[in-house]
Amino acid sequence: MILDSIRLQLGIVSALAFRDQGERISKSPFGAVGLLVEPLVFVAVLSTLRVLLRVREIEFMNPLLWMTSGFVIFYLFSKIAIKAITGVARSQRFTDLRRIRPLDVLIAGAVVEVQIHGACLFFVILAVSLYEWQIVVADPGSAVFLFLLMAVTSLGVGLSSLIVGHRLKIVKIVVDVVIKQLLFWTSGLFFSVALMPDYVRPFLLWNPLLHGIELFRHAMQPTYPIPGISLSYVLIWAFASLGFSMLAYGNNEQLLAADEPRDDS
Amino acid sequence: MTGLSALIPRTRLRHGHRTKPPTLVRLDQVSLCDPLGKAVLHDFSFRIRAGERWQVAADDKRSALALLQCVADVQQPHSGTATIRGHVSWPMGQLSGLSPLLSSADNFRFFAGVYGQSGRIKAEQKLLRTLCNFDEKVWIRPFKKLPQTLKQRFKLALGLVFDFDLYVFDPGAYAPLLRQGCWGDSWQAILEQRIRERAVITIAGDRLGIAERCQRCLVIRDGRLVEKGRVAQGLTSMPAAPRLRPRSRRRPTL
C-alpha cells in the first residue's frame, strides 16, 4: 500500500517534470540546447568581465570552475525558491486533476531546475577536465550530495515563504527581494570566504548559501580553504526549512489551492 | 470492435467480497455558491458507493454542474465537507490540464504518468489513438495547432482511456462532439465497457444514454436535495425528474 503510494507519487512528479521540461523546450528557440544556453552564456559573460576588470585571481582552483560552481548553485537555489513562492498560480491549471497537488508541481519544478543546472555544471566540468586533461572533481560524491542538498534547502525555504506569505504578504515580498538581491552579493559568487577580512566574515557566514557554495568548491578541490564553513549549518537549514514547510503545508494545502485566502469570518 | 475491447483491462472492483460496497464520495452538508454569490448547492448531503449509478435532475443546470464538480473534487465546498476516497475521474470532456505547447503524444504521456496503470501504458495509448483516429503526423503535432474538433475528440477520449472507480459525466462538455458526428460505435462500446461495474454520475437527459442506465436519481430544486432514491420507485417531487424510458437496443443515432 505504501509502496503503491510512493510509486504513484513518483509517477506524478515525473509526469509533471516531463511536462514542464517539454513546455520549456517548446518555448525555447533552440530547443533543449536553449535551456542550457542561458546559464552558460551568463557564466561566460561573468568570466569575461573578470578578465577585463582584472579582478584578483582565485589561485585555489580553476577560475571558470570556481565561477560556474558559485553561479550554478546560486541560481539553482534562487529559481527553485522563487518558483516555490509563486507556485500556487501554476498549479491552478490542474484543478481538474485531483491527483495533482500544489506540492507535486513545486517538486517537479525543482526536479527540472536540478536537471538543467546539473547538466550545465556537468558540461563545464567536462570542458575544464578536457582542457586540463585531468579530472577536476576530487570528491564527486560530496559534490552531488551538496548540489542536491542545496536544491532541498531551496525548496524548503521557498515553500515556507509561500505558506507564511499567504498569511503575511510582506514575508513573500521580503523573501523575494532577499533571494534576488541580498543573497546574490553575499553568497560567494564573486569572492572566496578565505579572502575576506576576519571582521567581515561573521557577517557573511549567516548565509547558508555561502556555506553550500564554498563546500561544493571544496569538494571539487580539497585544497580550497573554507574557514568558518560548516556542513552541519547547511544540514540544519535544509532539515529545518523542509520540516517546517512540510508540517505547515499539511495543514494549509486547501488554503494554498484556493484562488484567494478564504475568509474564515 | 473485439480488438478495442481487449485493450481495456478487466480489473476487479476494489471492494472485493465485502457485502456493502465502499463509499467513494461522501458529501456532508455541503454548500456552494456560484461566482455571483448565489447558492447553487445548499446543505447537501449525499454519498456514492462503488458500482452505483446516479443521474442528477435539477431545475437549475448550475446546481447539477456544481454537484458534479464537487464530486470530482474540482471545486471545494464553501461549507460542509466533501470526502473523496475512490479513484474519481475528472468531469469528462472538461479538461484543462492539457498543454497547448506539447503534442498529443506528450500530453498523453503526462496523463498516463498521473492516471495510467503501470504496464498498460502502451495499450492505453493504442486505445486513445484508435478512438481519436490520429495518424502519426497529427499525433506529434503541437496540441494548439490541432483543429478544435480534434482537440475535443482527444479530450473526451482521454477520459475513456483510463480506469476510474467513479466516472463523472458532464453531458454539456461532449455535446459539441456529438453534433460533429464523431461519436461512433467504437466510442459507445468503449464507454459501455468502461462504466460496467463502475460507479457513474451524470446529468439527466444526456444523449449518450448513460442516464438511462442509472438506477438511482437525485432531484435538486433551488440548490437543495429534495429527493433521492431508485428511479424504479418513482420520483414524483419534481417535474424535471427523468422518465425511465424502456432501454433501447439501438445505438444512439448521432
Side-chain angles (χ1 to χ4, degrees):
Chain A
M1 189 70 181
I2 294 172
L3 276 177
D4 283 347
S5 303
I6 292 171
R7 199 181 301 140
L8 177 66
Q9 188 65 28
L10 287 176
I12 290 172
V13 171
S14 164
L16 284 164
F18 166 76
R19 178 194 157 97
D20 193 355
Q21 207 173 36
E23 285 190 336
R24 288 184 198 207
I25 290 170
S26 305
K27 283 177 191 167
S28 166
F30 303 109
V33 179
L35 298 183
L36 300 178
V37 165
E38 186 200 347
L40 286 175
V41 164
F42 203 84
V43 169
V45 168
L46 286 179
S47 300
T48 312
L49 275 176
R50 282 184 70 84
V51 172
L52 292 176
L53 296 172
R54 295 179 184 177
V55 179
R56 188 179 164 186
E57 198 59 56
I58 299 294
E59 294 162 357
F60 314 117
M61 62 191 291
N62 182 293
L64 181 63
L65 206 56
W66 182 85
M67 176 69 80
T68 309
S69 54
F71 171 81
V72 166
I73 293 185
F74 172 77
Y75 272 89
L76 173 76
F77 184 93
S78 159
K79 288 201 171 175
I80 293 177
I82 288 171
K83 187 177 277 186
I85 294 171
T86 55
V88 174
R90 292 200 63 196
S91 64
Q92 292 296 305
R93 293 188 297 184
F94 299 110
T95 45
D96 289 349
L97 311 177
R98 61 178 297 268
R99 273 195 175 179
I100 298 176
R101 296 293 176 193
L103 182 62
D104 301 329
V105 180
L106 300 183
I107 295 173
V111 168
V112 175
E113 292 298 342
V114 166
Q115 285 173 340
I116 292 171
H117 289 83
C120 186
L121 199 57
F122 174 77
F123 285 125
V124 173
I125 289 171
L126 191 69
V128 174
S129 295
L130 287 173
Y131 179 75
E132 294 190 353
W133 204 241
Q134 61 173 357
I135 295 168
V136 291
V137 185
D139 189 356
S142 298
V144 171
F145 172 74
L146 282 160
F147 188 74
L148 296 177
L149 186 67
M150 293 318 291
V152 168
T153 312
S154 54
L155 188 65
V157 169
L159 203 52
S160 304
S161 315
L162 170 70
I163 291 159
V164 179
H166 249 288
R167 309 273 180 190
L168 300 166
K169 291 282 178 198
I170 189 76
V171 173
K172 218 175 189 176
I173 297 164
V174 167
V175 171
D176 195 44
V177 171
V178 164
I179 289 172
K180 282 179 181 164
Q181 304 298 328
L182 191 62
L183 291 187
F184 184 77
W185 297 109
T186 61
S187 296
L189 265 73
F190 306 105
F191 60 85
S192 168
V193 75
L195 298 178
M196 289 290 110
D198 286 346
Y199 61 89
V200 174
R201 218 175 279 153
F203 296 103
L204 295 171
L205 287 176
W206 62 267
N207 180 357
L209 201 47
L210 176 66
H211 289 254
I213 289 172
E214 290 290 87
L215 281 167
F216 187 80
R217 287 167 178 163
H218 182 70
M220 285 202 284
Q221 179 60 266
T223 54
Y224 184 80
I226 45 169
I229 297 294
S230 156
L231 176 62
S232 313
Y233 185 69
V234 186
L235 284 172
I236 289 169
W237 261 89
F239 285 115
S241 61
L242 199 66
F244 169 75
S245 60
M246 289 297 122
L247 196 69
Y249 182 83
N251 297 328
N252 290 277
E253 192 182 41
Q254 295 305 324
L255 180 73
L256 295 175
D259 291 326
E260 293 293 335
R262 218 177 278 174
D263 188 7
D264 294 332
S265 63
Chain B
M1 191 67 62
T2 318
L4 274 180
S5 305
L7 293 173
I8 298 181
R10 294 171 189 279
T11 48
R12 287 167 63 92
L13 276 177
R14 285 170 199 176
H15 57 86
H17 299 290
R18 285 166 59 176
T19 49
K20 215 170 191 182
T23 302
L24 299 176
V25 176
R26 183 180 179 146
L27 306 182
D28 284 316
Q29 295 179 314
V30 161
S31 293
L32 195 66
C33 298
D34 66 3
L36 298 172
K38 192 199 168 198
V40 283
L41 287 182
H42 189 74
D43 209 12
F44 204 95
S45 295
F46 159 67
R47 78 164 70 181
I48 303 177
R49 289 182 187 278
E52 288 181 351
R53 293 181 184 181
W54 290 88
Q55 55 175 313
V56 184
D59 56 348
D60 187 350
K61 199 183 170 190
R62 285 175 303 175
S63 298
L65 284 174
L67 177 65
L68 294 192
Q69 290 188 331
C70 251
V71 166
D73 201 19
V74 172
Q75 202 160 7
Q76 297 296 318
H78 291 138
S79 68
T81 52
T83 314
I84 290 126
R85 291 206 185 91
H87 186 187
V88 181
S89 79
W90 58 86
M92 294 289 166
Q94 279 185 19
L95 196 53
S96 63
L98 291 164
S99 169
L101 296 171
L102 299 183
S103 64
S104 305
D106 289 342
N107 270 308
F108 165 73
R109 200 176 145 186
F110 165 67
F111 275 84
V114 180
Y115 287 102
Q117 290 177 26
S118 61
R120 292 212 52 89
I121 306 292
K122 277 190 179 169
E124 287 166 349
Q125 180 175 325
K126 192 176 172 192
L127 177 62
L128 180 69
R129 285 188 68 172
T130 314
L131 280 176
C132 294
N133 199 18
F134 283 3
D135 59 17
E136 196 58 36
K137 208 173 164 186
V138 176
W139 185 240
I140 58 168
R141 194 184 294 169
F143 200 68
K144 65 179 176 186
K145 291 187 179 169
L146 295 183
Q148 199 60 28
T149 327
L150 296 189
K151 284 183 190 171
Q152 283 168 345
R153 199 188 295 181
F154 184 81
K155 277 184 184 179
L156 191 56
L158 205 53
L160 294 177
V161 162
F162 301 116
D163 189 34
F164 296 102
D165 294 332
L166 169 62
Y167 286 86
V168 180
F169 286 95
D170 170 15
Y174 49 80
L177 204 64
L178 297 177
R179 278 199 296 273
Q180 290 152 10
C182 300
W183 191 274
D185 283 352
S186 57
W187 286 72
Q188 191 67 29
I190 294 297
L191 171 75
E192 287 183 15
Q193 192 132 359
R194 273 285 172 225
I195 63 175
R196 187 183 301 160
E197 295 184 359
R198 292 287 185 261
V200 169
I201 184 164
T202 186
I203 298 175
D206 78 301
R207 289 176 60 196
L208 294 178
I210 302 168
E212 288 177 21
R213 289 160 178 75
C214 295
Q215 318 92 335
R216 295 157 194 271
C217 183
L218 287 173
V219 182
I220 306 173
R221 188 187 292 161
D222 296 328
R224 290 173 190 275
L225 177 63
V226 289
E227 199 171 0
K228 66 177 175 183
R230 290 184 173 274
V231 177
Q233 291 168 353
L235 297 164
T236 54
S237 57
M238 175 172 181
R243 289 182 294 114
L244 190 65
R245 288 179 293 174
R247 189 170 160 181
S248 166
R249 286 187 179 276
R250 245 181 62 213
R251 303 261 182 245
T253 49
L254 306 166

